[in-house]
Amino acid sequence: MRIKERILYVILLTSTITFIGCSSISDAQRNSIINEVLRTVEARMPTPSTQTTQQVPLVTVKDIQEAVQSGVRQAITSLPSNTPVSTFTMPPISTSTITPTPTPKKILALTPVPSATTIPTSRPNTLRILTPIAPVPPRATRTPLITSIRPNNLDQLRIFMLDLINVERKKEGLVLVELSNNVAAQDYAEEMMEKGYSSHWGLDGMKPYMRYSLAGSEGYTNENLSGFDYYIPPCRFSYCLVNPEALLKEDMEGLMNSPGHRDNILDLNHRLVSLGIAYNGDTTSVVQVFSGGYLKYWKPPTLINGQIEFAGSLNKGLTIYTTSIYYDPEPRALTLGQLAATYCYSLGKPVALLRRPPERRWYYPDDQAIVSYGGCTDPYTVSPDAYVPTQDDIDFEAIKYIALSETTVPYTTADIYFVNERDFDISADLSPIIREQGSGVYTVLIWAQDVDEKLEPFIVSEYSIFLTSEKPD
């Protein structure tokens, strides 16, 4: 018999033997039935001749089924009349249809590239599709292979992701980025996976530039995210493990297929990247935080009794272009429903534009400027009881963007505004601003420009100062 015929034959014969094994007959009688079935089926199966090249007719499922049934009937007829025999009907062979399981969406999120007069508009999310693996109940005796969402080979996975980034940058002739060591990226990747969300806003109400300032960052923070906006149970056993490097490739492909994320990865100014990677055996949560490393504070920004002071040095060839202060209300805890409503984040509200004192007999014609800001949903305007998406909500999407706002921002003339080709030392009185805004987070934005003025000005530092009732962890 051909291979396909033998497979069908074995399936039907196995069903027959299983039936016989369940009947109320003796072992000798059962063996007699099996032998009779074998003889009858073999006799009815066509066998190719070794002496001829004539093709043997195809044996159908119905032929094999009738052969097995005939063998069973002949075997049962030979049993003693007082032997109880169950009525047997050959189980039909059916073809099953597989209903596709909706694949979950993985959220990718991005930091914008700011302009000189408007804040970055948004961090768009796109989708990355993963095929779920059918769950298999674990055995109690199995030893988990995944015991933590922080991978044992985290350093190797970071290098792997760094190589994926630099392959894309090299294609465009860009400077390759180096690994930075800001721990906030890893901590945040693990928090998102553990709590089951994906948002630039944290459960503590803080945004990226706040988190990374607290972790010691002095530069700007352009953040990409790839993760699910709902909880994915971990897979800790070998039967459902997915190769983390394969998942990271999918993350990178999703980011590169999103125009906003691609622009962030291929930003001309990036020199550093902090990488956070969480892995639960079935999926990953990835944080990419790009920065430039263009600035070093030797006096980090402080805000004491209304006076802001900071000083430092820029890389060779750069000089200060302008400095501004942005304000966020004091961070408060957010719910998963509020986080699910966020699609992007923006810097806070601009509240001060710092400028050097005018030279003697000179004056500034304007005391204020109109600046655009916002463009993203504020989770504090969303109900704490807002809907929390689940794995079944494949079509769930947050509101992507809202209209930009405009505000009139006063110029603040600094008491000290020393700037040369590299170094800077700035001090200004922000007491009127603080009295108006109150407690919260004041973020210093420093824009730089090359001394030859060939490049567009760009942000080199986003440094948050917490003027809050309680110091964050």
Side-chain angles (χ1 to χ4, degrees), residues 134-287:
V136 179
R139 296 178 182 176
T141 57
R142 291 181 178 174
T143 302
L145 300 179
I146 302 295
T147 58
S148 171
I149 59 176
R150 175 171 294 192
N152 295 329
N153 59 338
L154 177 59
D155 290 341
Q156 290 87 337
L157 293 180
R158 281 176 174 160
I159 295 297
F160 183 79
M161 175 59 79
L162 178 67
D163 290 341
L164 294 177
I165 293 171
N166 280 331
V167 164
E168 301 299 335
R169 291 181 66 86
K170 187 175 181 180
K171 290 178 184 177
E172 302 299 322
L174 300 172
V175 176
L176 304 187
V177 293
E178 298 178 359
L179 271 180
S180 183
N181 59 354
N182 193 302
V183 298
Q186 183 61 33
D187 291 342
Y188 196 55
E190 294 176 12
E191 177 185 311
M192 288 192 297
M193 174 162 284
E194 181 180 355
K195 303 299 183 181
Y197 73 95
S198 181
S199 171
H200 290 291
W201 295 74
L203 285 168
D204 54 8
M206 287 197 287
K207 293 186 275 187
Y209 51 90
M210 302 178 189
R211 287 193 294 271
Y212 296 108
S213 291
L214 288 174
S217 173
E218 296 183 339
Y220 64 82
T221 56
N222 281 19
E223 183 180 77
N224 278 355
L225 299 180
S226 178
F228 288 99
D229 57 356
Y230 45 80
Y231 179 72
I232 299 292
C235 171
R236 302 184 183 276
F237 301 93
S238 60
Y239 58 78
C240 61
L241 293 183
V242 182
N243 187 330
E245 293 184 352
L247 294 175
L248 293 181
K249 283 184 178 180
E250 291 185 12
D251 286 312
M252 192 63 185
E253 289 172 2
L255 292 167
M256 289 301 296
N257 287 331
S258 165
H261 298 89
R262 176 187 175 89
D263 290 344
N264 193 20
I265 292 170
L266 302 179
D267 190 297
L268 175 68
N269 298 318
H270 293 340
R271 296 293 182 272
L272 302 172
V273 62
S274 293
L275 296 174
I277 301 172
Y279 169 66
N280 71 352
D282 184 53
T283 188
T284 51
S285 180
V286 175
V287 178

Side-chain angles (χ1 to χ4, degrees), residues 362-373:
W362 287 78
Y363 69 96
Y364 290 108
D366 299 316
D367 293 327
Q368 58 190 19
I370 297 177
V371 180
S372 300
Y373 72 100

Side-chain angles (χ1 to χ4, degrees), residues 252-394:
M252 192 63 185
E253 289 172 2
L255 292 167
M256 289 301 296
N257 287 331
S258 165
H261 298 89
R262 176 187 175 89
D263 290 344
N264 193 20
I265 292 170
L266 302 179
D267 190 297
L268 175 68
N269 298 318
H270 293 340
R271 296 293 182 272
L272 302 172
V273 62
S274 293
L275 296 174
I277 301 172
Y279 169 66
N280 71 352
D282 184 53
T283 188
T284 51
S285 180
V286 175
V287 178
Q288 298 174 341
V289 183
F290 293 94
S291 188
Y294 294 105
L295 171 148
K296 180 65 179 178
Y297 287 113
W298 36 269
K299 183 165 63 176
T302 58
L303 189 54
I304 302 174
N305 297 326
Q307 193 76 16
I308 189 167
E309 297 181 353
F310 52 94
S313 299
L314 292 166
N315 289 358
K316 184 177 180 179
L318 294 178
T319 188
I320 295 288
Y321 176 74
T322 189
T323 303
S324 53
I325 310 297
Y326 282 70
Y327 168 78
D328 286 281
E330 190 169 346
R332 306 187 307 275
L334 295 168
T335 66
L336 291 176
Q338 289 173 313
L339 293 180
T342 63
Y343 181 82
C344 58
Y345 83 97
S346 53
L347 292 166
K349 180 182 178 181
V351 294
L353 303 173
L354 303 186
R355 63 186 179 187
R356 69 176 71 241
E359 296 182 10
R360 187 179 180 183
R361 297 182 180 179
W362 287 78
Y363 69 96
Y364 290 108
D366 299 316
D367 293 327
Q368 58 190 19
I370 297 177
V371 180
S372 300
Y373 72 100
C376 295
T377 300
D378 184 346
Y380 295 118
T381 64
V382 179
S383 169
D385 299 324
Y387 179 73
V388 180
T390 67
Q391 196 166 356
D392 297 328
D393 297 317
I394 61 173

Side-chain angles (χ1 to χ4, degrees), residues 15-29:
S15 299
T16 303
I17 295 173
T18 301
F19 156 77
I20 296 171
C22 297
S23 301
S24 300
I25 59 177
S26 65
D27 291 342
Q29 293 167 341

